[in-house]
Amino acid sequence: MKKNWNVIFAAISVILISGCSSFQQRDQLASFNSAYTSGDYNSALKAMSFGGSEKKPVDSRKHLLELLHQGEMYLLTGRYDDAVKAYDLAEEGMKYLDTEGALASATEGLMSVMVNDSVRDYEALMSEAVLVNTYKGLAFLASGNTEYARVEFNRADDRTRRAVDFFRKEIEEQQAALKRDARSGNQKALMVRNSLDNRSLQSAVNSQYGALSGWSVFPEFIVPSSTYLHGIYFLANAEDSADYERAATSLSRAAQMTPESRVLQADAELATRLASGTQILKDLPPQVWIIYENGLGPVLKEVRLDVPLFIVRGTRQAPAYVGIALPEYTERSAVPGGLGVADASGQVVQTEKISDMGKVIRTEMQERFTGILARAVASAISKAILQSEAADQFGPWGQLFAAAYAAATTQADLRSWQGLPDHWEATRISRPENGKITLLDHRGDVLGNLDIPQQAFTLVYVKRPTLKAPATVIMLDLQGKTEATLTRMPE
């Protein structure tokens, strides 16, 4: 009897921990978004703070999500060294993305999902890891450290190239684990495998999400904005023909992902001419790139589905409809229109969309969704078995309590990096002779004026999450010879 009470006490503890953890996570993200969408980046940073001891190293795995947000808020407030430190810790917390064999912890990890994904440490998307290196590269450039910026842009490019193999290995490991354990007589693995293969479950999931093959995705994994920044960095900092080839390759790849963009096509052509020697760098007038992070990127919402799972009861296997909770990305909003860039003559050039965050995420989720669904099914089966065992040991009251436990802990993991944009826009102009340009909003009204320094390559990096927030403008020397300036428009 004492053992039974221990089981009940443990279950109650899990419900309380799961509920508190989920509430705290959602409250923290809500507090962040309230400040972030109004442009109050210091309060947004405070919402993502966490306690700790100066004598102990930061648990970067546990605090990964907070570190991602902190890095971006430091960047948007001009604290570039702090941004690098936060991103360094975040990258340390994402080492599992670089460790072969730690992709999908086979049976033990997949089969022991007795609560839900939200109680696990946050698992960053590969696209988020790519952006960490990109933002860290920008932070180094902003502080005038071109050597370290080169390292980070190369890391972002390397992660992009390795992502395809990462997803392939992740899926193969998961499928091999299920197959191996089902053959070895592991009943839970057999139930999960049979349920996932069931057409009725696939139909229920497809009715909510649509067939994965029909999602609007890129033909290959890529974060076009990161690949684009990699390309223009190496175009501006080429030391030899190999660097020009890197620039041409990256800018051509970005252009292939968005073939309708005249900006991307023009940059790819420029890099190709420089790489082939048909364009001489000294004959090129000073260039100014304007890159605009616009709006609020996709966030997760919870979808609950009743799906048929195959549960072993005694000596027979029978379908039972059980509820599962899955995450689904939903679009937020963008700031209307783009940015206008006017020179002293009154000539105006508009930014063009070069990358869509929703498409980036859908491309990755198409690869990850099988694993997310498998964990949700494994969790539901574990809880269904628990209800059956509780009924056997405790009767109707035990079954009722187990059902309450299942309902309370069936939740989707809704955590994500909230500070990413809806999309990126860009344009490129030759530096005006007087160095003066004016940024215009979507209505053509003046946001603010900039004096572009007399330098070969300038990057004007603009971020605006909502119309309520001012635009943060970071003006960088793409060759990293001088420190960046930061302004907010309108002031």
Side-chain angles (χ1 to χ4, degrees):
M1 188 66 181
K2 183 177 179 181
K3 181 180 179 181
N4 292 341
W5 280 109
N6 287 340
V7 171
I8 293 173
F9 179 77
I12 292 173
S13 299
V14 169
I15 292 174
L16 291 174
I17 292 170
S18 174
C20 289
S21 174
S22 179
F23 177 79
Q24 288 171 354
Q25 291 165 5
R26 298 183 189 194
D27 184 59
Q28 183 184 39
L29 292 177
S31 296
F32 171 85
N33 276 309
S34 177
Y36 176 67
T37 55
S38 66
D40 185 357
Y41 301 139
N42 286 315
S43 294
L45 178 62
K46 186 177 180 181
M48 285 296 167
S49 63
F50 52 86
S53 170
E54 294 183 2
K55 297 180 180 179
K56 293 183 178 179
V58 173
D59 187 342
S60 57
R61 186 75 180 90
K62 178 180 178 182
H63 295 294
L64 173 56
L65 191 60
E66 290 100 327
L67 291 165
L68 291 173
H69 289 85
Q70 286 180 14
E72 190 168 6
M73 294 308 99
Y74 284 130
L75 187 60
L76 291 176
T77 52
R79 288 173 273 186
Y80 306 122
D81 289 344
D82 289 331
V84 167
K85 290 176 185 176
Y87 285 136
D88 274 341
L89 286 169
E91 192 170 15
E92 180 184 282
M94 294 186 292
K95 280 184 178 176
Y96 57 89
L97 292 172
D98 303 318
T99 307
E100 193 172 358
L103 298 170
S105 58
T107 306
E108 187 172 352
L110 189 63
M111 295 299 117
S112 62
V113 190
M114 279 302 297
V115 187
N116 55 65
D117 276 1
S118 64
V119 300
R120 301 167 51 174
D121 289 331
Y122 179 67
E123 299 242 345
L125 299 176
M126 181 65 83
S127 52
E128 292 174 343
V130 170
L131 285 167
V132 162
N133 291 122
T134 299
Y135 288 145
K136 207 196 310 185
L138 289 174
F140 278 125
L141 262 187
S143 60
N145 190 334
T146 189
E147 181 183 352
Y148 284 7
R150 172 182 283 260
V151 171
E152 295 305 327
F153 286 121
N154 271 331
R155 283 178 176 171
D157 187 57
D158 186 54
R159 282 190 192 277
T160 300
R161 287 187 290 101
R162 288 189 288 108
V164 175
D165 284 340
F166 174 88
F167 294 131
R168 177 180 55 79
K169 289 176 183 177
E170 185 177 48
I171 293 169
E172 286 176 356
E173 269 195 46
Q174 224 164 48
Q175 291 176 339
L178 274 174
K179 188 175 182 180
R180 181 177 61 250
D181 293 340
R183 285 179 173 174
S184 68
N186 185 313
Q187 279 206 329
K188 196 183 294 183
L190 181 63
M191 286 185 272
V192 171
R193 185 182 176 194
N194 289 346
S195 295
L196 290 172
D197 290 341
N198 180 256
R199 288 185 179 179
S200 296
L201 181 140
Q202 293 170 4
S203 177
V205 172
N206 287 346
S207 67
Q208 175 64 40
Y209 290 90
L212 299 186
S213 60
W215 288 10
S216 175
V217 298
F218 288 117
E220 56 180 305
F221 177 83
I222 186 174
V223 184
S225 57
S226 291
T227 301
Y228 180 67
L229 281 164
H230 176 271
I232 65 173
Y233 172 83
F234 276 93
L235 187 154
N237 291 276
E239 296 176 352
D240 51 33
S241 59
D243 281 348
Y244 281 124
E245 287 294 340
R246 287 189 184 94
T249 298
S250 287
L251 291 172
S252 296
R253 287 193 74 205
Q256 289 167 8
M257 295 300 104
T258 312
E260 67 276 12
S261 171
R262 292 169 297 176
V263 171
L264 293 179
Q265 300 301 327
D267 283 344
E269 289 168 8
L270 173 61
T272 300
R273 292 198 305 271
L274 287 167
S276 65
T278 57
Q279 169 75 60
I280 306 301
L281 185 62
K282 66 185 177 84
D283 295 336
L284 187 70
Q287 297 295 293
V288 181
W289 280 268
I290 296 90
I291 296 183
Y292 177 30
E293 285 201 14
N294 181 318
L296 300 168
V299 291
L300 291 163
K301 68 175 182 179
E302 184 173 272
V303 173
R304 286 182 176 254
L305 300 175
D306 285 330
V307 296
L309 304 181
F310 280 81
I311 311 294
V312 173
R313 290 172 178 157
T315 58
R316 66 189 185 89
Q317 185 171 254
Y321 275 82
V322 178
I324 63 172
L326 295 170
E328 181 179 47
Y329 275 97
T330 180
E331 303 293 326
R332 289 192 284 177
S333 60
V335 177
L339 283 180
V341 184
D343 60 19
S345 69
Q347 182 178 356
V348 178
V349 176
Q350 294 288 333
T351 55
E352 295 178 8
K353 184 185 286 191
I354 62 166
S355 179
D356 180 86
M357 192 65 215
K359 201 168 184 178
V360 170
I361 288 176
R362 286 193 297 275
T363 302
E364 181 161 355
M365 286 298 290
Q366 187 182 61
E367 302 294 339
R368 288 184 178 272
F369 189 76
T370 301
I372 293 170
L373 179 60
R375 287 197 301 274
V377 167
S379 178
I381 286 175
S382 296
K383 292 165 189 175
I385 293 171
L386 176 67
Q387 290 181 60
S388 177
E389 292 176 349
D392 291 342
Q393 292 190 42
F394 302 105
W397 283 106
Q399 186 175 20
L400 182 64
F401 183 84
Y405 168 86
T409 57
T410 299
Q411 299 175 4
D413 185 3
L414 303 183
R415 294 169 295 174
S416 65
W417 191 354
Q418 308 283 296
L420 298 179
D422 177 81
H423 65 272
W424 284 265
E425 302 175 24
T427 193
R428 173 169 57 91
I429 62 172
S430 295
R431 179 185 180 273
E433 286 188 12
N434 65 359
K436 297 184 182 298
I437 65 171
T438 299
L439 298 185
L440 309 174
D441 66 13
H442 63 289
R443 295 185 298 265
D445 295 335
V446 173
L447 269 175
N449 299 301
L450 292 171
D451 288 320
I452 307 298
Q454 182 64 52
Q455 56 196 25
F457 301 103
T458 301
L459 172 61
V460 178
Y461 200 83
V462 184
K463 181 153 186 165
R464 194 177 193 186
T466 68
L467 278 175
K468 292 191 300 180
T472 299
V473 182
I474 306 175
M475 189 159 55
L476 308 100
D477 177 1
L478 265 171
Q479 293 182 328
K481 296 176 181 177
T482 59
E483 293 186 3
T485 61
L486 184 148
T487 56
R488 303 187 82 185
M489 299 179 177
E491 295 182 356

